[in-house]
Amino acid sequence: MTQKIPVVEKILSANDRLALENRARFDAAGVFAINIMASPGAGKTSLIEQTVRALQGKLRVGMINGDIATSFDADRAAAAGAVAVQINTGGDCHLDAVMLQSAIAQMDLTSLDLVIIENVGNLICPADFKLGAHKNVLVASIPEGDDKPYKYPGMYRGVEAVVINKIDLLPYVSFRMDFFQDGIEALNPGVVQFALSCRTGEGLQAWMDWLVSQVAGAKRF
Ligand SMILES: Nc1nc2c(ncn2[C@@H]2O[C@H](COP(=O)(O)OP(=O)(O)OP(=O)(O)O)[C@@H](O)[C@H]2O)c(=O)[nH]1
Ligand SMILES: [Mg+2]
């Protein structure tokens, strides 16, 4: 007698299901979306400001900012030229797919090419909540220390790109770049990395080239 083999499939959580819906809405509108995560003060908004300015006249950019309070960062992105929406999480330490769904509803996605989501500053919880973005990007920064991949492995494992910001501070801070990058490589082999400074602009071009190529690649399909 042949045995009936039970097949157990992953049951999508409510958040995962909504994240897929968000992704479908981005795709239907021809929008590429990235989710930027980092610890507080790593330079997420600074990178977004630089990115929006560099894309002026080339790509139409929307920005969704998640913070516990204030609209400071959405205001900064808007001043740089993005169409910005602020989500105040009211205490939650991460964005989730429901919050993102509400933010998307405030945007005319068809008028945009790229949406940059700035997650709440935190190296733990944002890694566990899919939003529907096409790429997840982690911004690390030199003053945080070179041991962060070892201490926050979940965050480093789940991203498609790592930006190492504030390299202008390398002469003043003890930071072993080899140790830091070995930690990343062990968790996420081959992940694309950019070392740059939002202050001086050093290294920004490689980040911009990668981002533009990602958007262009997505638009081909
Ligand atoms: N020296 C130096 N300072 C930087 C650089 N990038 C950002 N900063 C500074 O770092 C501080 C935090 O930058 P933000 O861009 O606000 O960081 P954030 O990650 O968006 O912060 P939260 O949203 O509060 O989590 C600001 O004082 C920036 O001017 C850099 O490349 N070099
Ligand atoms: Mg910010």
Side-chain angles (χ1 to χ4, degrees):
M1 194 175 87
T2 46
Q3 188 195 344
K4 195 161 185 268
I5 307 292
V7 178
V8 179
E9 289 179 14
K10 183 184 175 197
I11 298 169
L12 286 182
S13 72
N15 186 79
D16 285 358
R17 225 188 318 269
L18 264 181
L20 286 175
E21 283 179 27
N22 290 339
R23 169 75 70 89
R25 292 195 61 188
F26 286 132
D27 288 343
V31 171
F32 190 77
I34 63 169
N35 172 28
I36 297 191
M37 297 174 282
S39 57
K44 299 177 289 299
T45 314
S46 301
L47 183 66
I48 292 167
E49 289 174 307
Q50 294 279 15
T51 302
V52 171
R53 288 200 189 101
L55 292 174
Q56 207 79 259
K58 295 180 192 140
L59 292 179
R60 300 162 302 170
V61 186
M63 186 266 201
I64 297 172
N65 179 254
D67 261 318
I68 288 170
T70 80
S71 64
F72 291 170
D73 291 358
D75 294 344
R76 285 168 61 186
V83 175
V85 174
Q86 178 71 44
I87 302 172
N88 281 148
T89 65
D92 282 359
C93 53
H94 58 270
L95 290 179
D96 62 27
V98 185
M99 295 181 210
L100 199 75
Q101 187 184 47
S102 309
I104 294 172
Q106 305 297 318
M107 291 180 136
D108 175 12
L109 287 182
T110 57
S111 70
L112 299 172
D113 301 301
L114 170 67
V115 168
I116 306 176
I117 303 156
E118 176 177 342
N119 217 311
V120 181
N122 181 344
L123 283 183
I124 306 167
C125 319
D128 292 334
F129 290 84
K130 289 190 181 129
L131 302 179
H134 297 90
K135 298 284 174 192
N136 294 294
V137 176
L138 170 62
V139 178
S141 67
I142 300 301
E144 288 168 49
D146 52 25
D147 55 359
K148 293 303 167 289
Y150 302 89
K151 291 182 164 183
Y152 300 93
M155 178 58 79
Y156 280 84
R157 245 185 230 118
V159 295
E160 284 84 31
V162 177
V163 171
I164 307 155
N165 186 31
K166 309 195 188 183
I167 57 169
D168 54 294
L169 297 179
L170 276 170
Y172 314 106
V173 178
S174 168
F175 188 97
R176 296 159 296 176
M177 190 61 88
D178 286 355
F179 179 66
F180 179 74
Q181 291 182 321
D182 286 351
I184 297 175
E185 192 58 27
L187 294 164
N188 196 338
V191 68
V192 59
Q193 296 182 35
F194 305 96
L196 56 82
S197 167
C198 289
R199 168 157 292 180
T200 67
E202 185 184 354
L204 265 170
Q205 193 56 50
W207 155 255
M208 293 306 307
D209 291 347
W210 178 80
L211 183 59
V212 169
S213 76
Q214 296 297 311
V215 179
K219 285 210 178 266
R220 269 202 294 279
F221 302 104

